Amino acid sequence: MTTTLNDPAVRDAAERLERARRTGVPCAPVRDLLPAGDLDAAYAVQSLLTGHRLAEGRRITGWKVGLTSPAVQRQLGVDTPDFGALFDDTAVPDGAELPWGAVLQPKAEAEVALVLEHGLPHERHTVADVIRATAFALPAVEVVGSRIRDWDITAVDTVADNASSGAYVLGTRPVPLRDLDLRTAGMVLERRGDPVSTGAGAACLGHPLHAAVWLADTLVRLGTPLRAGDTVLTGALGPMAAVAPGDVLEARVDGLGSVRAAFGPAPSGGEPR
């Protein structure tokens, strides 16, 4: 039976996650509310929460791809990536301070972002389609976060929770794809000059463009194809890095340059989340 946005379990899971976002207090996992392993139900929760954000006046600025690492897929018991929506109020300028607590239980990932010049409306896309549609690439730091306490997540939990999306920071020097070899591009994410994560484009489904093809095909099947102007975060190039109040993380990606994610201090008298 197809899960709908009106299913009581979907509404209950969405309300649990929305309460965590609103109060800043992480919640219990939502997998206990949904059919075991049912990613369709989890995406229904995500869609319901996306509708709430749009009704509040937010705007979708693009999409993120998650679970692009085979090791993470095995850990969560899935064999496919996932996706979530990006919103205008979660875009942070390069080096600008993200208030501590704006993202619950934050961690950071360095990624390649693609900004589209043309939409991708086909049922099945090729890498060439993505290349033609892409205006330029940028380095990015995705600040992932979980509304679910202690990151106690399965694939169902993270999908329902908008693929654990929190905020994102884009670099400011656009680079055409013709000037890049994204598969071999090395990445280092540093805190005060010390590496906290390293990797390369091949860690992202073998190539960041493969992740973009998967996302384009998936969104067309769901009736929400990628549009001109969308930003696509193609997935982590290396392991997630823990962050603490006051941290400044800088990601460098070969050929793309650098981007910085800065975190504000913990609130006076409060415990870091």
Side-chain angles (χ1 to χ4, degrees):
M1 184 173 62
T2 302
T3 304
T4 71
L5 303 187
N6 292 320
D7 284 357
V10 169
R11 294 199 306 270
D12 289 347
E15 174 54 32
R16 181 179 291 181
L17 290 167
E18 178 63 17
R19 187 183 308 115
R21 181 179 75 88
R22 196 170 54 244
T23 63
V25 178
C27 63
V30 297
R31 57 184 177 268
D32 63 315
L33 300 174
L34 301 172
D38 190 338
L39 293 182
D40 287 341
Y43 277 116
V45 175
Q46 182 188 128
S47 181
L48 187 58
L49 290 170
T50 295
H52 291 169
R53 301 292 298 278
L54 296 176
E56 293 171 347
R58 275 67 170 181
R59 175 174 62 90
I60 291 178
T61 53
W63 303 84
K64 62 156 286 184
V65 184
L67 303 183
T68 52
S69 161
V72 175
Q73 289 181 8
R74 288 192 296 270
Q75 180 183 350
L76 296 185
V78 296
D79 58 2
T80 183
D82 68 353
F83 69 86
L86 303 176
F87 296 95
D88 57 330
D89 62 328
T90 64
V92 181
D94 184 4
E97 187 176 281
L98 177 66
W100 190 256
V103 175
L104 291 183
Q105 305 178 117
K107 302 176 186 288
E109 298 177 339
E111 308 194 10
V112 172
L114 306 178
V115 180
L116 301 184
E117 184 174 11
H118 306 291
L120 288 165
H122 306 299
E123 182 180 354
R124 287 183 298 277
H125 295 88
T126 67
V127 166
D129 292 325
V130 171
I131 292 172
R132 282 195 297 266
T134 299
F136 52 83
L138 296 168
V141 172
E142 183 186 3
V143 182
V144 292
S146 184
R147 270 58 63 174
I148 294 169
R149 189 166 49 245
D150 299 326
W151 279 89
D152 178 13
I153 60 172
T154 64
V156 166
D157 295 300
T158 187
V159 166
D161 192 21
N162 198 32
S164 302
S165 181
Y168 68 103
V169 189
L170 300 177
T172 56
R173 185 175 70 91
V175 181
L177 289 182
R178 65 176 177 270
D179 296 335
L180 298 167
D181 180 357
L182 292 178
R183 185 183 68 82
T184 62
M187 176 279 295
V188 60
L189 181 64
E190 296 178 340
R191 178 191 294 113
R192 293 184 293 276
D194 294 327
V196 294
S197 178
T198 60
C204 179
L205 286 187
H207 196 297
L209 294 181
H210 296 169
V213 168
W214 175 86
L215 178 66
D217 290 354
T218 300
L219 291 179
V220 166
R221 287 196 298 272
L222 296 174
T224 55
L226 287 166
R227 307 164 301 170
D230 277 348
T231 295
V232 175
L233 298 185
T234 54
L237 303 182
M240 289 191 300
V243 298
D247 275 351
V248 177
L249 301 184
E250 183 166 3
R252 295 185 180 86
V253 181
D254 289 346
L256 284 176
S258 65
V259 59
R260 295 163 301 148
F263 298 85
S268 178
E271 291 295 325
R273 293 185 183 126

